[in-house]
Amino acid sequence: MRSLRLSPSILTADFGRLEREIASVAPFVDWFHLDVMDGHYVPNITFGPSTVEAVRRSCDLPLHVHLMIENPAEYFEMFVRAGASRISFHPEVVDDVPKALDALRKAGAEVSLAVHPDVPVTAVREYLPDLDGLLVMTVRPGFGGQKFLHEAVPKIAEARLALEETQGNAEIEVDGGVNLETVGVAVEAGAEILVAGSAIFDGVDAPAAARRLRERLETLA
């Protein structure tokens, strides 16, 4: 059986009761995913290290911080101190990817690269042996609640093949539009960690939604 993990994105959670939201779904999930946006790399602004700290105080699960920002290396240590277990950044926003990866590992986090829908897997292929994770975006980053881009599915499969060919051990994570209907195709293509935002924090019953997705993953493992 494969080890499939569920990682709720807090982007669509109720921030007025964030601690309770996190606690309500924690029994059904494996990670929490935190999308940091600066209004430059993507047309939205979300939150910074203080929110990561708040989530860290609310649970013991690993936190994956996805930096959708310019100059991400300037903030690695700050987010690690806040509680990030793994950090992803987009390679096209840094001048020296190996240097940034080294700085991130030295800061104390697991290292991951994020692949924008417009960026090919070939752009990250040479770095795969050095990664703990590879985040494949299945929406255009910037806002929660978007529909899954089915045209990105071949990229998940391509990433899986590239990891095998380069003998990389990175976990493939898929983020964007993941729900009960789309999770199967993502897993079939090679995803191991499934990020779900509005499919869990739906404003109706987040624990029930998380439980349903967990049960679905168990049928796919």
Side-chain angles (χ1 to χ4, degrees):
M1 293 180 62
R2 283 184 289 176
S3 176
L4 300 178
R5 277 146 291 167
L6 182 58
S7 181
S9 169
I10 70 166
L11 197 59
T12 55
D14 181 351
F15 276 56
R17 55 191 299 274
L18 186 57
E19 183 175 1
R20 283 177 288 173
E21 290 268 74
I22 290 168
S24 73
V25 303
F28 309 107
V29 307
D30 306 285
W31 292 64
F32 280 98
H33 189 90
L34 293 86
D35 291 307
V36 176
M37 308 180 195
D38 64 357
H40 296 284
Y41 178 69
V42 292
N44 193 14
I45 297 173
T46 54
F47 49 78
S50 60
T51 299
V52 178
E53 289 178 355
V55 177
R56 177 75 290 155
R57 290 193 300 269
S58 301
C59 73
D60 296 324
L61 295 174
L63 306 183
H64 181 180
V65 174
H66 177 193
L67 297 179
M68 288 176 267
I69 65 176
E70 296 179 354
N71 306 313
E74 295 182 15
Y75 303 95
F76 288 161
E77 292 187 2
M78 190 180 301
F79 280 102
V80 171
R81 287 197 301 270
S85 310
R86 174 179 292 177
I87 293 178
S88 289
F89 65 92
H90 290 260
E92 63 269 27
V93 301
V94 301
D95 295 326
D96 190 330
V97 174
K99 182 179 179 180
L101 290 172
D102 184 60
L104 177 52
R105 197 171 294 281
K106 287 180 177 176
E110 292 185 357
V111 302
S112 176
L113 288 177
V115 183
H116 188 283
D118 296 334
V119 174
V121 172
T122 53
V124 299
R125 182 184 174 94
E126 65 183 291
Y127 313 118
L128 294 179
D130 301 319
L131 303 181
D132 299 300
L134 181 67
L135 179 62
V136 179
M137 299 296 297
T138 45
V139 295
R140 296 189 176 278
F143 297 90
Q146 298 184 64
K147 291 185 177 180
F148 185 89
L149 294 175
H150 285 272
E151 58 266 35
V153 172
K155 186 180 290 186
I156 304 170
E158 183 183 357
R160 169 58 57 205
L161 179 60
L163 280 166
E164 293 173 358
E165 292 174 344
T166 59
Q167 298 184 329
N169 294 314
E171 298 169 318
I172 296 180
E173 188 165 357
V174 169
D175 180 11
V178 173
N179 55 38
L180 288 171
E181 287 70 43
T182 60
V183 67
V185 68
V187 169
E188 184 178 1
E192 299 166 278
I193 301 176
L194 291 304
V195 178
S198 57
I200 290 180
F201 293 115
D202 56 4
V204 179
D205 191 336
R211 185 178 62 252
R212 287 192 295 269
L213 259 176
R214 163 61 64 195
E215 291 171 349
R216 177 72 174 119
L217 283 183
E218 289 174 355
T219 70
L220 297 169

